Amino acid sequence: MSKTTAITVDLSAQTIDAAVKPAMHYTPAILSVSGTFGSVELMADDDQLAAVADAISQHFKSKEKSA
């Protein structure tokens, strides 16, 4: 059985930095989002990072269509 965890961080009123740290020999790539709240890091493989990038891209495309 797999565990499910939900973490919510409200970034809407903050300046953030976002970066992808490349994979190393023993660790996958890390998507890092940091700001005054602290930081959140997601370890992910390339397919997972592509899924995140696609979701963000779809968000902006849907906003363009509704404008």
Side-chain angles (χ1 to χ4, degrees):
M1 182 179 346
S2 64
K3 292 183 179 182
T4 301
T5 302
I7 298 169
T8 301
V9 180
D10 183 359
L11 304 175
S12 60
Q14 298 188 34
T15 300
I16 64 161
D17 291 311
V20 176
K21 300 174 186 174
M24 303 294 279
H25 191 272
Y26 293 107
T27 59
I30 299 172
L31 171 60
S32 177
V33 179
S34 58
T36 57
F37 66 91
S39 65
V40 175
E41 293 187 337
L42 301 175
M43 290 182 165
D45 63 27
D46 287 346
D47 289 338
Q48 293 165 323
L49 289 173
V52 171
D54 186 52
I56 292 168
S57 177
Q58 290 301 320
H59 166 73
F60 286 116
K61 286 179 185 176
S62 70
K63 287 185 75 160
E64 288 173 1
K65 289 179 183 177
S66 64

